[in-house]
Amino acid sequence: MLYWLASYPRSGNTFFRRIVEQCYGLVTWDKYIVPSETDPNYPLLRSLETIITSPQPVLVKTHEPPGDDNFPAIYLLRDGRDALVSYTHFVLTLDKPPKGEITPVLFHNTLRDLLLEERSPFRSWAENVLAWTSRPGVVVVRYEELVQNPGPVVEGALRAIGCPATRIKDVIPTFEQLKKKEPLIFRRGLPGCWRDEFPPDLLPLFWERNGYAMERFGYGWEETRRAA
């Protein structure tokens, strides 16, 4: 059985997955990574079709807008300013690392390019958020609440989508513990880190392209304007 775990890039998807894997023993799949044939879950994870037809629940990570299906979904919502900062770091360290040093100018220009990208399969932050949150059967989990109180937030979300999951471990892995194991995936994780990393001159552009969705979910322009 397929359950979507959707988000704009760098919005807590992997953090959520590691919790359900370790504390509930659930299988999760990153649809952007081809599973190895040596993976014990390979027979289940060969394709979306095998997941859909299996009675075993699988949380499937996606960053793309929703399709025409009606599978239950959890959507992880993170402040777009934080998500864009983290996404820029991801691009420069893992996706398209430069040959030389990551300079402030390179960081600035990469973030600007992500803001202006018209052909991204993930769409803009606002388009991604609004597409998923307007879809029926979606449970929205705010990143800020997830990192503050991960146990109850994860359990509540799983129950809300009807995912059959039994807690097998009480201890929730912390962000810092996960960072030690996967330092390239887990970076800062702090809500509001955009304040000292988002280039101030790009904040008006960010708001121009994403402000309507930011306001809808309570992320205010006034703080952005002060930072700019």
Side-chain angles (χ1 to χ4, degrees):
M1 177 62 177
L2 187 153
Y3 296 86
W4 291 118
L5 185 61
S7 68
Y8 186 77
R10 308 300 294 169
S11 296
N13 206 303
T14 301
F15 184 40
F16 194 104
R17 289 172 55 220
R18 294 294 178 265
I19 293 173
V20 300
E21 289 166 352
Q22 296 185 33
C23 296
Y24 294 89
L26 286 174
V27 176
T28 75
W29 182 42
D30 183 338
K31 65 175 293 188
Y32 306 104
I33 299 177
V34 178
S36 168
E37 293 187 12
T38 60
D39 187 329
N41 292 311
Y42 176 76
L44 175 62
L45 303 180
R46 287 177 296 173
S47 66
L48 285 177
E49 287 72 24
T50 59
I51 294 172
I52 291 169
T53 58
S54 171
Q56 183 173 351
V58 180
L59 266 65
V60 178
K61 170 184 175 177
T62 184
H63 294 316
E64 297 159 30
D68 296 330
D69 65 83
N70 60 355
F71 296 110
I74 294 169
Y75 186 77
L76 297 171
L77 172 64
R78 186 181 190 184
D79 185 325
R81 297 163 293 192
D82 283 338
L84 262 295
V85 164
S86 186
Y87 192 15
T88 303
H89 281 288
F90 178 84
V91 168
L92 291 174
T93 56
L94 285 175
D95 191 23
K96 299 176 182 178
K99 294 181 180 180
E101 178 186 1
I102 300 176
T103 64
V105 171
L106 178 59
F107 182 86
H108 175 283
N109 293 342
T110 303
L111 196 155
R112 180 200 60 204
D113 291 346
L114 290 175
L115 279 173
L116 296 173
E117 174 61 64
E118 297 287 351
R119 299 181 180 179
S120 169
F122 313 139
R123 310 284 180 85
S124 69
W125 177 86
E127 290 170 332
N128 191 287
V129 168
L130 294 178
W132 275 105
T133 56
S134 62
R135 176 184 184 269
V138 174
V139 173
V140 177
V141 170
R142 287 186 179 263
Y143 177 85
E144 296 83 3
E145 296 175 359
L146 174 65
V147 296
Q148 182 178 10
N149 205 8
V153 169
V154 168
E155 184 163 343
L158 293 175
R159 288 182 178 176
I161 61 170
C163 180
T166 302
R167 188 81 167 263
I168 61 173
K169 186 183 295 185
D170 290 331
V171 179
I172 303 291
T174 67
F175 190 92
E176 289 303 319
Q177 289 171 336
L178 293 172
K179 182 177 179 179
K180 289 180 180 179
K181 293 181 179 179
E182 302 176 80
L184 294 179
I185 300 298
F186 296 91
R187 196 180 64 88
R188 291 182 70 183
L190 297 174
C193 63
W194 67 270
R195 295 183 184 89
D196 56 22
E197 294 193 75
F198 203 114
D201 66 302
L202 292 180
L203 285 169
L205 175 63
F206 168 82
W207 204 262
E208 175 186 328
R209 299 179 67 87
N210 300 280
Y212 56 100
M214 290 284 285
E215 290 176 347
R216 176 173 173 178
F217 289 98
Y219 298 112
W221 161 244
E222 285 300 320
E223 188 177 9
T224 297
R225 184 168 60 183
R226 288 195 298 270

